[in-house]
Amino acid sequence: MPADQPNPAVAFAKHDHSDCAHRILDRAEKLSEARGVRLTPVRRRTLEILLESHRAMGAYEVLERLAQDGFGHQPPVAYRALDFLVEHGLAHRIRRLNAFAACMAPGQTHNPVFFICRACQSVAESSTPELRDRIDAAADAIGFEVERANVEALGLCPACADREE
Amino acid sequence: MPADQPNPAVAFAKHDHSDCAHRILDRAEKLSEARGVRLTPVRRRTLEILLESHRAMGAYEVLERLAQDGFGHQPPVAYRALDFLVEHGLAHRIRRLNAFAACMAPGQTHNPVFFICRACQSVAESSTPELRDRIDAAADAIGFEVERANVEALGLCPACADREE
DNA sequence: TCATGTATGTTATATCGTAACAAGTCAAGG
DNA sequence: CCTTGACTTGTTACGATATAACATACATGA
Ligand SMILES: [Zn+2]
Ligand SMILES: [Zn+2]
Ligand SMILES: [Zn+2]
Ligand SMILES: [Zn+2]
């Protein structure tokens, strides 16, 4: 596993998270540069906000933070920035929560599985190509062409599982 | 494959769909009876509406149909019936579409994967236990306890893929 | 400089979902 | 038969999520 491939377990463990955040922001800058797209102030700030924790955040929660920082106060401000991040693989949409989370492995082709703790709302992203292979196999069997696949697992993170019992 | 285990490919193919619908309605009646829950008129009608096609339907679309049939006109009427069906495994929630689809294999323990055609909105449900095993394995690796997993693949069904080119 | 594409911001509205309460149904026990 | 309690259906009202449409600003290169 390369150095910049984070261990998904870290999302549920105590760790120097500002380190995660800085590493990923740097990577986001470089990726945007390389692709010729602009990581503008709102977009960058939006990513920073998502990176403040391993939780998923709703668009309105992000918006509130952006507004405090002097950006616009209306929903499209947040949705546009979030859509940009999602489109460029810098964030993911967590559909079960109607929320967004920073991607923890931007730039790497990954078929993410999201593990969502129903108690503390933290989200871990694990990269599992074999899973995608299985989905493609099932799709082939019925002649379906998969363009994107989304896997979300709901349950309890280690800490919250301990706490329940 | 047992006779009552439908081929997921059928969702995307021409077939006698009223046959699907009747078979599943019968099964739903029996399952409800066996579990001591009541498949009341609204609930049954809601399932019938979902079963009219292999598409997913939004709650408000279902509500409109229920209202035409003399049931209540307010959102909770539809949401309650749909929640009942989902809770008892007679329907599934398709999160990517904010919509609901009848379960095509009610009563069987299944770890469904949904194949959603982005062109014609039809949904096929495929049952793939190995997939769940993969998810559980990835979860184990980080100490996460999976309670429910949701897999949704977006793409093109065979017919729509042909039509695109 | 000026045309062009892109980004940001606003108003307004669409779409999806739920809380809270009232009224009706139904079966079990007195 | 009548009460009681669990459940079901219906309503009003509201909350939460998301987008359309348009105006303004800003970059970038002819
Ligand atoms: Zn971290
Ligand atoms: Zn947790
Ligand atoms: Zn059918
Ligand atoms: Zn199709």
Side-chain angles (χ1 to χ4, degrees):
Chain A
M1 195 177 280
D4 61 355
Q5 169 86 44
N7 179 343
V10 90
F12 297 137
K14 281 230 161 107
H15 64 284
D16 179 358
H17 182 60
S18 74
D19 196 57
C20 296
H22 285 116
R23 185 172 42 75
I24 290 175
L25 266 173
D26 281 356
R27 232 178 130 57
E29 299 268 19
K30 290 199 184 71
L31 282 167
S32 299
E33 172 92 39
R35 288 179 193 153
V37 298
R38 294 165 50 199
L39 190 62
T40 59
V42 225
R43 293 169 176 173
R44 190 190 148 96
R45 184 74 194 112
T46 300
L47 182 54
E48 284 174 11
I49 290 168
L50 291 182
L51 280 169
E52 281 173 8
S53 76
H54 285 272
R55 274 178 51 238
M57 291 178 81
Y60 281 75
E61 197 180 348
V62 170
L63 176 59
E64 205 172 301
R65 300 288 311 279
L66 288 173
Q68 285 169 15
D69 292 345
F71 298 100
H73 287 56
Q74 309 307 325
V77 170
Y79 280 102
R80 282 197 287 236
L82 290 165
D83 287 347
F84 170 89
L85 296 175
V86 169
E87 186 179 349
H88 293 92
L90 302 174
H92 296 288
R93 192 168 193 144
I94 309 296
R95 304 210 87 111
R96 179 174 287 269
L97 303 176
N98 289 328
F100 300 82
C103 175
M104 291 297 134
Q108 295 154 260
T109 60
H110 57 303
N111 297 99
V113 179
F114 300 106
F115 295 103
I116 306 164
C117 178
R118 65 166 162 77
C120 69
Q121 279 74 54
S122 55
V123 174
E125 174 182 350
S126 167
S127 189
T128 55
E130 316 90 10
L131 199 66
R132 176 57 186 260
D133 292 342
R134 294 285 177 170
I135 294 172
D136 284 338
D140 279 349
I142 63 173
F144 188 89
E145 287 178 19
V146 177
E147 290 167 353
R148 262 171 310 163
N150 195 268
V151 183
E152 296 180 2
L154 194 73
L156 286 177
C157 78
C160 292
D162 280 354
R163 219 167 288 132
E164 292 241 326
E165 208 143 355
Chain B
M1 195 176 279
D4 61 355
Q5 169 86 45
N7 179 344
V10 90
F12 297 138
K14 282 230 159 108
H15 65 285
D16 179 358
H17 182 61
S18 74
D19 195 57
C20 294
H22 285 117
R23 186 171 41 75
I24 290 174
L25 266 173
D26 280 356
R27 232 179 129 58
E29 300 267 20
K30 290 198 183 73
L31 282 166
S32 299
E33 172 93 40
R35 288 178 192 154
V37 299
R38 293 166 48 199
L39 190 63
T40 59
V42 224
R43 293 169 177 173
R44 191 191 147 97
R45 184 74 193 112
T46 300
L47 182 54
E48 284 175 9
I49 289 168
L50 291 182
L51 281 169
E52 282 173 7
S53 75
H54 285 272
R55 276 178 49 237
M57 290 178 80
Y60 280 74
E61 197 180 346
V62 170
L63 176 58
E64 205 171 299
R65 299 288 313 276
L66 288 173
Q68 285 169 14
D69 293 347
F71 296 101
H73 291 237
Q74 309 306 324
V77 171
Y79 279 103
R80 281 197 290 237
L82 290 165
D83 287 347
F84 170 89
L85 295 175
V86 169
E87 187 180 349
H88 293 92
L90 301 175
H92 296 288
R93 194 168 192 141
I94 309 296
R95 304 208 92 106
R96 177 173 287 269
L97 303 177
N98 290 328
F100 300 82
C103 175
M104 292 294 135
Q108 294 155 260
T109 61
H110 57 302
N111 297 100
V113 179
F114 299 106
F115 295 103
I116 306 164
C117 178
R118 66 166 161 77
C120 69
Q121 278 75 53
S122 56
V123 174
E125 174 182 349
S126 166
S127 189
T128 55
E130 316 90 9
L131 199 66
R132 176 55 186 262
D133 293 342
R134 294 284 177 171
I135 295 172
D136 285 337
D140 278 350
I142 63 173
F144 188 89
E145 288 179 17
V146 176
E147 290 168 353
R148 261 171 310 164
N150 196 269
V151 183
E152 296 179 1
L154 195 72
L156 286 177
C157 78
C160 292
D162 280 352
R163 218 166 289 132
E164 292 240 328
E165 211 141 358

